[in-house]
């Protein structure tokens, strides 16, 4: 699984909301979507694509915690959480190294000049454990 991360601020600038970072233009957003579409299509054509989805902004998150044996639900976003899972792609490929090569292609994701001031870009690549078969009955 290739996991992509972002923050509420990242979602805001992509949708044109004012903030500390200038919002992306329609052309910037279109270039990002075109890049990601091409990246996904290449995986489909190579037979390595299994599944992938982007996730909605952190503001639409609900956290459910257990406290004293009861669920406590809190709406997001969470100030203590800077980066959250923004999307994922599952690939079925020859090796962990190949999955890493696929993820490394995302380093060329287009963005406006100055859109990542002081931010380190990264994605995580993590194998999915095979679940044991469920018992019958």
């Amino acid at each position: 699984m290739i996991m992509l991360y972002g923050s509420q601020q990242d979602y805001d600038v992509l949708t044109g909301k004012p903030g500390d970072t200038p919002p992306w233009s329609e052309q910037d957003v279109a270039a990002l979507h075109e890049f990601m579409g091409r990246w996904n299509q290449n995986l489909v054509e190579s037979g390595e694509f299994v599944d992938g989805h982007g996730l909605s902004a952190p503001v639409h998150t609900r956290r459910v915690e257990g406290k004293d044996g009861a669920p406590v639900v809190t709406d997001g976003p969470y100030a203590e959480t800077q980066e959250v899972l923004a999307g994922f792609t599952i690939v079925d490929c020859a090796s962990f190294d190949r999955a890493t090569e696929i993820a490394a292609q995302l380093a060329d994701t287009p963005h406006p000049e100055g859109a990542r001031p002081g931010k380190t870009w990264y994605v995580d690549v993590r194998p999915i454990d095979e679940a044991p078969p469920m018992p019958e009955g």
Side-chain angles (χ1 to χ4, degrees):
M1 177 183 286
I2 299 168
M3 296 175 281
L4 299 89
Y5 294 90
S7 66
Q8 183 63 50
Q9 180 185 21
D10 294 330
Y11 281 87
D12 289 347
V13 298
L14 281 169
T15 58
K17 290 185 181 177
D20 296 337
T21 307
W24 288 35
S25 70
E26 287 182 28
Q27 294 83 8
D28 295 329
V29 174
L32 172 64
H33 288 172
E34 181 182 329
F35 176 91
M36 292 304 295
R38 199 170 45 251
W39 183 76
N40 280 308
Q41 186 59 38
N42 289 340
L43 292 172
V44 169
E45 290 171 4
S46 72
E48 296 170 308
F49 182 85
V50 174
D51 196 8
H53 294 277
L55 302 176
S56 63
V59 70
H60 301 294
T61 301
R62 284 195 176 144
R63 178 170 291 159
V64 181
E65 298 179 77
K67 290 200 177 184
D68 299 323
V72 176
V73 179
T74 308
D75 289 332
Y78 311 103
E80 68 276 7
T81 305
Q82 292 298 314
E83 299 281 320
V84 296
L85 185 64
F88 66 90
T89 300
I90 298 174
V91 295
D92 184 5
C93 52
S95 67
F96 191 58
D97 287 340
R98 173 62 184 144
T100 304
E101 289 172 7
I102 292 168
Q105 295 168 6
L106 294 170
D108 290 333
T109 303
H111 59 278
E113 193 67 37
R116 297 181 183 162
K119 291 179 84 175
T120 301
W121 175 90
Y122 66 93
V123 299
D124 287 336
V125 181
R126 190 169 174 182
I128 298 174
D129 283 342
E130 294 295 325
M134 296 294 290
E136 291 186 32

